[in-house]
Amino acid sequence: MPPRTLIKPTAGSVAALLLVTGAGLLAACGARTSRAVGGGTDVVAAQAAFPDKHLQYPVRTTDADWQPVAAALGRTGTLAGSVVYGIPLLRTDLDVTTEGVTLKPGMLLGGYAAFAQYHDGTMLMGDLVVTEDELPRVTDALQAAGIDQTALHKHLLQQSPPIWWAHLHAMGDPLKLARGLKSALNATAIPPASPPPATEPPVDLDTAGISRALGRKGTAEGGIYRFTIARHQSVDDGTHVLPAALGLTTGINFQPLGGDKAAVDGDFVMTAPEVQHVIRALRRGGIDIVELHNHSLDDRPRLFYLHFWAAADAVTLARALRPALDATAPAPAS
């Protein structure tokens, strides 16, 4: 896919290009069956009205532009907002338990690869869910392909088997990036994606009550009721404006446990001044703190991700999560 000529963006074109909305592919790092390529507003009005001439904006693309990448990976994806091509990498092959709960793959076992084209090349960002046995081979494959590893961590306090989440980033030729990523995938047992069901079955939870408590509507996907929420803020790496669909979103996932109870997990995306407010809000609601880390090496503003876990009445958990969400400058609910 040859680079396209970057056209000087206008206020209207920037807003249309970067206000990526709609359902995600997967739900990030906590999908992400869909958080990673989730939707939401990821640029404030001031950024849209006054584009920074020193930054590159992603170029509009079509599904056809990404077919060589899909062919190289042997997996198809979904184009979000005409700028980010996201490919789900769901671990449907693993049976993972934590605190007596067997996780559905959409809770936390969804990795992803997201591609965006800029004037100076294609950006790849992603998150691979790997076992401890796979991790050394995945690391070697990524390093051999020139794909940077930007974070490595776990998302659960207790888990069997032990699972790691490896974040990655690279810039370059899209086919070369896809082939390099394929070599890392070949070091895992990540299966090909299964076709989605014709209709999603309802989630056995009070989803209306959960949505009211969080002030926005979620999405039923794979037996999970999930929320993918972008920040009301522009993010860049010093050179490129980064759409939220690259994985810069908060993910909240509810898995039914029966009797109105749910397991809830995910991660909040935060700036440094927001971190302690989120921690205090979660602990006031009896929600466990699991991990606090970065996903990128050079994002501006510096973003932190806080993973959490709890199991209790679903609507009560949603009410406890709301103050933490409000502390992170979320994009307005659509």
Side-chain angles (χ1 to χ4, degrees):
M1 184 175 63
R4 299 185 177 192
T5 301
L6 184 68
I7 300 173
K8 174 67 176 179
T10 64
S13 67
V14 172
L17 186 63
L18 293 180
L19 300 185
V20 182
T21 60
L25 262 187
L26 321 174
C29 196
R32 284 165 166 21
T33 334
S34 287
R35 195 204 79 138
V37 275
T41 300
D42 67 333
V43 61
V44 293
Q47 177 72 45
F50 304 102
D52 189 331
K53 64 181 180 181
H54 302 294
L55 294 174
Q56 292 193 37
Y57 293 80
V59 176
R60 285 186 179 277
T61 55
T62 67
D63 280 302
D65 292 323
W66 298 106
Q67 290 316 297
V69 166
L73 285 170
R75 303 164 188 269
T76 58
T78 299
L79 186 60
S82 299
V83 292
V84 176
Y85 188 71
I87 298 174
L89 302 170
L90 200 63
R91 293 305 301 248
T92 55
D93 60 310
L94 297 176
D95 292 319
V96 179
T97 61
T98 181
E99 297 187 357
V101 176
T102 300
L103 298 178
K104 292 181 180 292
M107 277 291 271
L108 277 177
L109 305 181
Y112 72 97
F115 296 82
Q117 188 181 350
Y118 294 85
H119 186 55
D120 61 347
T122 294
M123 180 180 292
L124 164 64
M125 291 180 69
D127 185 15
L128 303 182
V129 183
V130 299
T131 66
E132 288 195 348
D133 289 341
E134 294 168 347
L135 180 57
R137 297 190 298 274
V138 168
T139 296
D140 292 343
L142 291 173
Q143 293 296 318
I147 297 175
D148 294 340
Q149 291 170 275
T150 58
L152 178 64
H153 45 248
K154 295 185 177 181
H155 291 178
L156 299 166
L157 292 174
Q158 302 176 26
Q159 54 179 325
S160 178
I163 304 298
W164 291 85
W165 282 258
H167 288 263
L168 55 93
H169 173 273
M171 285 289 298
D173 175 79
L175 270 181
K176 183 178 178 180
L177 294 178
R179 290 168 183 149
L181 178 59
K182 183 65 162 61
S183 68
L185 295 179
N186 288 343
T188 76
I190 298 174
S194 301
T199 58
E200 283 286 347
V203 178
D204 186 20
L205 289 171
D206 180 4
T207 56
I210 293 170
S211 293
R212 282 194 300 270
L214 286 172
R216 59 195 67 229
K217 186 174 176 59
T219 302
E221 183 181 349
I224 304 296
Y225 194 59
R226 70 176 72 263
F227 296 80
T228 302
I229 306 159
R231 290 185 61 81
H232 191 52
Q233 179 182 45
S234 178
V235 180
D236 64 73
D237 63 3
T239 304
H240 311 91
V241 174
L242 305 176
L246 288 172
L248 316 178
T249 52
T250 288
I252 301 175
N253 309 312
F254 290 81
Q255 177 177 319
L257 299 180
D260 294 326
K261 291 186 64 177
V264 63
D265 67 15
D267 56 343
F268 287 95
V269 56
M270 311 161 293
T271 58
E274 298 166 351
V275 172
Q276 305 312 316
H277 296 290
V278 172
I279 291 175
R280 287 193 291 268
L282 292 175
R283 292 304 301 140
R284 281 195 297 268
I287 298 171
D288 291 339
I289 307 303
V290 177
E291 284 271 3
L292 173 63
H293 48 243
N294 303 106
H295 288 174
S296 300
L297 299 178
D298 52 10
D299 45 5
R300 304 188 316 177
R302 197 81 173 99
L303 296 178
F304 297 82
Y305 296 79
L306 188 146
H307 290 263
F308 57 89
W309 168 269
D313 176 79
V315 175
T316 300
L317 287 173
R319 292 176 182 144
L321 287 164
R322 178 64 181 272
L325 177 63
D326 288 346
T328 65
S334 58

